[in-house]
Amino acid sequence: MRALLLATAALIAHPAAAQDHSGHAQHVEPAEPQEEPQATEQGSMEHMDHQATEHAQAESGAVDHNQMDHARMNHGAMDHSTMGHAQMNHGAPAQPPPSSGPPPRALEGPEHAADAIYGTAVMAPARQDLARGHGEFTGGTVMLDRLEARLGDGGDLYLWDVQGWYGGDIDRLWVKGEGESAFGGNVEAAEVQALWSHAIGPWFDVQAGIRYDLEPDSRAHAVLGLQGLAPYMFEVDAAAFLSDRGDLTARIEAEYDQRITQRLILQPRAELSLAAQDIAERGIGAGISSVEAGLRLRYEIVREFAPYIGIGYEAKLGETADRARAAGEDSDRLALLLGVKAWF
């Protein structure tokens, strides 16, 4: 009997196990609709695990604001009045700016504290090197400002204008010399100056000394002048001369270097001569006695050597021009300029 019951049960269970359930793979049961999240009361958030939300990853630097749709955030509806911006103190720096100058404690020690560590024999030469680099510089240079030929009406001339100095940043000894002569003729004018120069500011030196004329006649002058760099980078050299015969004259020179390229430079230059009285033996009348203007284009083959070409105009004015015409000379002259500028 028992065996009969077991055989009957096996026959009943076999059709269900033999069914092909592969078709159930395509059967998708409808998902149960999810309820829209309701506004969460603060009290109901107590169950949240805030540690699991990893707020540290939401630091401002890690957030890609470009992907955020700020247009939908309705910033205008935010109540900024409750945010306490006044307490944020946006204008105050995090730390006050450092005060200028060393702290008072820096001046309380000995004058040469490093001597206690390295010894005076080592530190004394080091202090001398430091002083030379901060104002006790001593050096010198020689400048051949103009060595040029003047080719034009009334005969060809050559001219030299040399100057050099030796000293420091504040006080220097200047030596200047200039003159001109006709090719194959006698020297028409030549002078040399020895000047003490003292800086009266970062741009100008006052100069005083003596000038001695070799031609057209021997004459000594006391010199008081000013040399330096005027605003807009004009180089100015102005001096008054009082001769041993009581004649007072003055000369003002100005030039400007306009760089076209790093090596090609256009230089306008002007010179004005004045006299306080007539100097008959030199054909000079009182007032503005002469003016000279030139335009030179030079090329610096190296910084220390530059040939140039230019054009120059010089004229005698007033009583000086009248005296020149009375002597059968031209009162003005236009010339082609060829020369070199060099320094060592």
Side-chain angles (χ1 to χ4, degrees), residues 13 27 50 70 92 104 107 114 149 157 176 206 222 225 235 295:
H27 178 72
H50 287 276
H70 291 270
L107 306 177
L157 305 174
K176 305 178 181 180
V206 62
E235 294 187 17
L295 189 64

Side-chain angles (χ1 to χ4, degrees), residues 80-101:
H80 291 268
S81 62
T82 61
M83 295 184 180
H85 287 287
Q87 299 178 2
M88 295 182 181
N89 197 16
H90 292 288
Q95 295 181 352
S99 58
S100 60

Side-chain angles (χ1 to χ4, degrees), residues 193-316:
Q193 300 181 44
L195 307 171
W196 168 74
S197 179
H198 180 76
I200 56 174
W203 308 110
F204 275 95
D205 294 351
V206 62
Q207 298 179 333
I210 60 171
R211 161 189 158 187
Y212 189 77
D213 292 350
L214 303 173
E215 296 291 345
D217 52 37
S218 300
R219 189 169 300 189
H221 305 257
V223 183
L224 180 62
L226 198 66
Q227 182 173 0
L229 196 62
Y232 301 101
M233 307 299 287
F234 282 91
E235 294 187 17
V236 176
D237 186 358
F241 309 99
L242 180 62
S243 75
D244 54 3
R245 304 178 189 181
D247 302 323
L248 180 62
T249 57
R251 186 163 57 209
I252 303 172
E253 302 174 8
E255 61 187 36
Y256 177 79
D257 281 353
Q258 176 61 57
R259 288 192 175 274
I260 300 174
T261 68
Q262 290 295 320
R263 295 183 180 274
L264 191 63
I265 300 167
L266 183 65
Q267 183 196 67
R269 183 181 185 279
E271 178 177 328
L272 192 67
S273 298
L274 307 96
Q277 65 291 304
D278 294 338
I279 307 176
E281 61 273 24
R282 291 195 170 187
I284 298 175
I288 301 175
S289 57
S290 66
V291 62
E292 178 181 331
L295 189 64
R296 295 168 175 82
L297 181 65
R298 73 173 186 267
Y299 181 80
E300 293 183 343
I301 299 175
V302 293
R303 296 301 181 194
E304 297 85 358
F305 183 82
Y308 62 80
I309 186 172
I311 186 170
Y313 175 78
E314 57 183 318
K316 298 176 180 177

